[in-house]
Amino acid sequence: MTVNGNRVSCGVEPRDTLADFLRETLELTGTHTGCEMGVCGACLVVVDGRVVHSCLMFAVQAGGSVIETVEGLTERAAIADLQDAFHQRNALQCGFCTPGMLMTAYSLLSQPGIPTRDEIRDALSGNYCRCTGYEAIVDAIENVARDRDAASIAQTREEASA
């Protein structure tokens, strides 16, 4: 498999989850294990372009896949604006759920258009947070969506005038 742009090959036990493999073998501890039932969203990673619960996927199932974790998205600055917005809006609180929230937001904002607040809430429905009322998280994601859209419009205009 390829994890955060790096080719990885090693033996795993058939029962090892992708979450455990990422955390224990690759020491990518941004992927958290919370409920271990696919409900809380703390273990979300991107596998072949889809957000998946890594606690429900066996590591052997990810063979040949391209996987992105919160560390990989951070290293390539793909979520720098989201991280900043979460910080500015105090959407972090204890931080346990934050990597999963960022993965959800990354996936949502990879889609065309600006999501509505209801669409953001719907996307976040697979993430459980005990510390916030979600409003700060929704605000942060909405702000980034609008900022990215404005930047895209500005770039399109700049390219058209060049």
Side-chain angles (χ1 to χ4, degrees):
M1 68 182 75
T2 301
V3 180
N4 299 329
N6 299 312
R7 186 87 178 123
V8 175
S9 181
C10 63
V12 295
E13 293 293 324
R15 68 181 173 275
D16 290 346
T17 66
L18 180 57
D20 289 337
F21 173 73
L22 293 170
R23 290 184 59 78
E24 295 169 17
T25 304
L26 301 184
E27 298 180 357
L28 296 170
T29 57
T31 302
H32 294 152
T33 51
C35 68
E36 297 187 59
M37 298 184 308
V39 177
C40 72
C43 68
L44 292 175
V45 297
V46 176
V47 177
D48 295 330
R50 293 183 315 117
V51 176
V52 300
H53 292 91
S54 62
C55 73
L56 297 180
M57 183 176 198
F58 291 114
V60 295
Q61 291 175 292
S65 294
V66 174
I67 300 165
E68 290 187 281
T69 68
V70 70
E71 292 93 344
L73 295 178
T74 298
E75 285 174 10
R76 64 182 180 92
I79 56 173
D81 54 351
L82 280 166
Q83 291 170 310
D84 185 54
F86 270 56
H87 175 74
Q88 294 301 320
R89 294 290 304 146
N90 197 29
L92 301 166
Q93 299 293 316
C94 83
F96 188 81
C97 70
T98 303
M101 295 283 188
L102 290 168
M103 298 304 286
T104 296
Y106 169 77
S107 177
L108 177 65
L109 298 182
S110 295
Q111 306 301 315
I114 302 174
T116 65
R117 290 181 71 80
D118 284 341
E119 290 170 333
I120 295 169
R121 284 187 189 96
D122 185 57
L124 291 173
S125 67
N127 296 81
Y128 185 70
C129 177
R130 294 180 174 145
C131 300
T132 70
Y134 291 90
E135 286 306 305
I137 296 167
V138 172
D139 291 345
I141 295 169
E142 181 182 43
N143 290 345
V144 169
R146 288 182 179 169
D147 290 349
R148 285 183 181 183
D149 187 62
S152 176
I153 291 170
Q155 181 179 358
T156 300
R157 287 182 183 156
E158 184 178 302
E159 289 171 356
S161 66

